[in-house]
Amino acid sequence: MLLLRYALAEAVAGSAGGAAKTIATYPFDLATTRRECGLEAFAPLNEEINNWRDCYFRGLLTSLILVIPYALIFHFAYVLGASNIKSQIKKDLIGSAIGSLAASVV
């Protein structure tokens, strides 16, 4: 139960971090996309300067809707998987140590 609570807390923190990263870097991603597509496909430059919030954050909500569940699932699975691997490695190390001790005695 404690592991699930910890995994959920890590997942929520990871999705909040993913959302913050998306908000911070979205204008740069959008500018890169616009440069690759060409300016003729978008509004003129003077219109972009006047409406910079609308232009540089257009589509941000869609990106957040995609990023938040992805980060939540990724971090939740990572924490659960990492804890299971750590416990399995401990079991394997103990078994290896016992086996090598038994082999050295015999």
Side-chain angles (χ1 to χ4, degrees):
M1 185 68 177
L2 185 62
L3 177 64
L4 289 177
R5 190 175 294 167
Y6 173 72
L8 186 61
E10 286 283 329
V12 169
S15 64
K21 176 250 171 206
T22 301
I23 291 169
T25 61
Y26 190 78
F28 302 113
D29 293 337
L30 187 63
T32 302
T33 302
R34 287 183 177 194
R35 194 182 80 227
E36 290 171 355
C37 293
L39 290 176
E40 62 274 358
F42 298 98
L45 184 59
N46 59 0
E47 189 175 318
E48 288 182 19
I49 292 172
N50 293 336
N51 299 326
W52 66 273
R53 279 188 218 119
D54 293 337
C55 290
Y56 289 111
F57 290 100
R58 183 178 298 149
L60 178 64
L61 183 62
T62 305
S63 293
L64 287 176
I65 289 172
L66 295 173
V67 165
I68 291 173
Y70 167 77
L72 186 81
I73 293 168
F74 174 81
H75 288 284
F76 189 76
Y78 176 79
V79 170
L80 290 180
S83 65
N84 288 336
I85 288 173
K86 286 179 186 176
S87 66
Q88 187 62 35
I89 288 174
K90 286 180 185 176
K91 289 178 186 175
D92 289 345
L93 287 177
I94 292 171
S96 298
I98 292 173
S100 62
L101 180 65
S104 65
V105 170
V106 174

